[in-house]
Amino acid sequence: MVKSFAEILEAAKGSEFHNMAVADASGDAVIGALAEATEMGIIKPYLVGNIEKIQPLVEKYELKEFEIIEANDPISIAAKTIALVREGKCDMIMKGKLSTPILMKAVLDKETGLRKGKLLSHVAILEVEKYPKLILLTDAGMNIKPEINDKVQILANAMFVANKLGIDRPKAVGLAAIETVNSNMPETMDAAILTKMSHRKQLGNIDFDGPLAIDVVLSKEAAKTKGIKTEMSMEADIFLVPDIASGNILAKGLIYLAGAKIGGVVMGAKAPIVLLSRSDTRDTKLNSIAIGCVIS
Ligand code: COD
């Protein structure tokens, strides 16, 4: 079982080589991470965007193996990035400086996009010093307010990533503010239904428990004090959050307050899409590229 980004980077080196389309590569952190990834021999980037902005960065970071595809406005950058996958030239996408909604709308386009008939969802992987496992946090990047059926598919996408990381039967929690069901808090109802579905083996090879507040998940002591019996305290692999806002706040809080390392990918399309915030550091982008390589 993979437990750190150091191990994910190692695994990426032993994985298949990928041609990666980069949606607007005109950023220091983007090209810096790509230079490291090409140095490691795990990808060849296809840089989509404005040549005048990209070329000086390519020289600055001494990027060696690459191609540039000229596109000068966000919509055509998104379209040309996706075309690279549809034409078979690339098998992975990375969001560079392009905004997430513009890229994802192009991915979701019924005629020219990359849908496979499944729900697309984001899986963020976090390494936090105080937690003994990697945390697969979902969905903090794509689905704004998922319904119960969406959550079933969000869990399936996260399970796929967990399996690729060597976790055969992941443990998943449905996070909420409390451990009891309250009809005014829809995430508690969804989590309770998912728990029953898990008991009835409707979710596949996964153990699910919820609703659980995050103190119970992060502390056996808190669970004991609250009188909650669960196998998830300090054991959960997948953290299912109620919606994009709560997930995003949790992920970014862990990065900035707890020094978490993070990487993230959108699953469910014809190719994995390495996707995080535009403010991510070079290391975070490299982590995400490595995740994309490992799960492809
Ligand atoms: N998976 C599969 N199909 C989808 C999904 C999905 N996750 N979301 C929408 N669709 C399909 C719908 O069924 C429909 O057929 C079509 O796509 C359009 O659906 P809309 O109108 O609901 O979707 P859009 O185009 O308005 O929005 C889709 C986005 C992904 C752009 C939107 O959900 C969004 O903005 N998400 C948040 C992205 C974001 O800002 N992330 C922050 C990262 S730091």
Side-chain angles (χ1 to χ4, degrees):
M1 186 202 299
V2 176
K3 286 198 170 161
S4 67
F5 277 107
E7 287 174 31
I8 291 178
L9 285 162
E10 269 316 301
K13 284 186 202 161
S15 71
E16 230 175 84
F17 183 83
H18 295 282
N19 290 313
M20 192 173 80
V22 184
D24 195 352
S26 64
D28 276 89
V30 179
I31 301 281
L34 292 173
E36 274 190 69
T38 49
E39 201 65 36
M40 285 165 64
I42 58 176
I43 53 141
K44 173 181 172 184
Y46 287 66
L47 311 172
V48 186
N50 180 283
I51 293 186
E52 279 157 31
K53 287 187 189 158
I54 293 173
Q55 192 61 45
L57 292 168
V58 161
E59 283 158 26
K60 180 174 170 189
Y61 291 98
E62 298 177 1
L63 186 63
K64 290 187 188 84
E65 279 285 303
F66 64 91
E67 284 185 32
I68 299 182
I69 293 92
E70 171 132 56
N72 291 312
D73 67 275
I75 302 290
S76 52
I77 290 175
K80 288 193 177 176
T81 302
I82 275 131
L84 284 166
V85 175
R86 287 179 67 95
E87 290 159 8
K89 284 200 181 120
C90 292
D91 56 1
M92 213 169 121
I93 290 177
M94 173 178 176
K95 181 181 84 94
K97 300 273 281 180
L98 196 65
S99 85
T100 303
I102 290 179
L103 178 61
M104 294 323 297
K105 275 177 193 282
V107 170
L108 290 172
D109 189 283
K110 280 196 178 111
E111 260 135 53
T112 55
L114 299 174
R115 290 206 219 186
K116 269 199 317 194
K118 284 187 179 178
L119 187 88
L120 275 65
S121 60
H122 187 262
V123 184
I125 300 180
L126 291 116
E127 180 185 338
V128 195
E129 212 186 302
K130 287 192 168 175
Y131 198 74
K133 296 176 150 187
L134 287 174
I135 296 171
L136 276 61
L137 179 70
T138 191
D139 177 345
M142 173 107 196
N143 292 282
I144 295 172
K145 273 203 185 298
E147 312 264 331
I148 179 78
N149 288 332
D150 301 330
K151 288 180 182 176
V152 171
Q153 292 187 50
I154 286 172
L155 281 172
N157 284 343
M159 264 170 76
F160 181 89
V161 176
N163 293 161
K164 289 280 182 182
L165 295 176
I167 308 161
D168 292 335
R169 187 174 172 87
K171 290 190 166 75
V173 285
L175 292 173
I178 51 174
E179 291 79 29
T180 45
V181 176
N182 179 331
S183 60
N184 291 321
M185 298 184 192
E187 62 277 6
T188 65
M189 312 243 288
D190 288 353
I193 293 168
L194 290 167
T195 303
K196 182 51 81 182
M197 289 176 80
S198 154
H199 291 163
R200 296 281 187 261
K201 302 188 177 19
Q202 282 180 275
L203 299 179
N205 200 20
I206 192 170
D207 289 312
F208 187 94
D209 195 6
L212 291 172
I214 201 161
D215 51 353
V216 167
V217 179
L218 298 181
S219 157
K220 285 185 194 283
E221 199 53 43
K224 199 172 154 203
T225 311
K226 286 171 130 182
I228 303 297
K229 284 203 178 109
T230 176
E231 287 175 10
M232 297 296 171
S233 299
M234 298 300 268
E235 292 280 344
D237 303 290
I238 298 171
F239 288 22
L240 176 72
V241 291
D243 54 25
I244 195 171
S246 53
N248 205 278
I249 293 163
L250 175 57
K252 288 179 180 157
L254 287 171
I255 297 170
Y256 288 92
L257 293 175
K261 291 181 186 162
I262 187 167
V265 68
V266 170
M267 300 300 299
K270 286 184 181 152
I273 303 159
V274 168
L275 186 150
L276 272 159
S277 164
R278 276 170 286 179
S279 63
D280 288 334
T281 62
R282 173 179 166 153
D283 279 353
T284 297
K285 291 189 194 302
L286 181 62
N287 289 341
S288 300
I289 296 169
I291 291 167
C293 290
V294 171
I295 53 114
S296 291

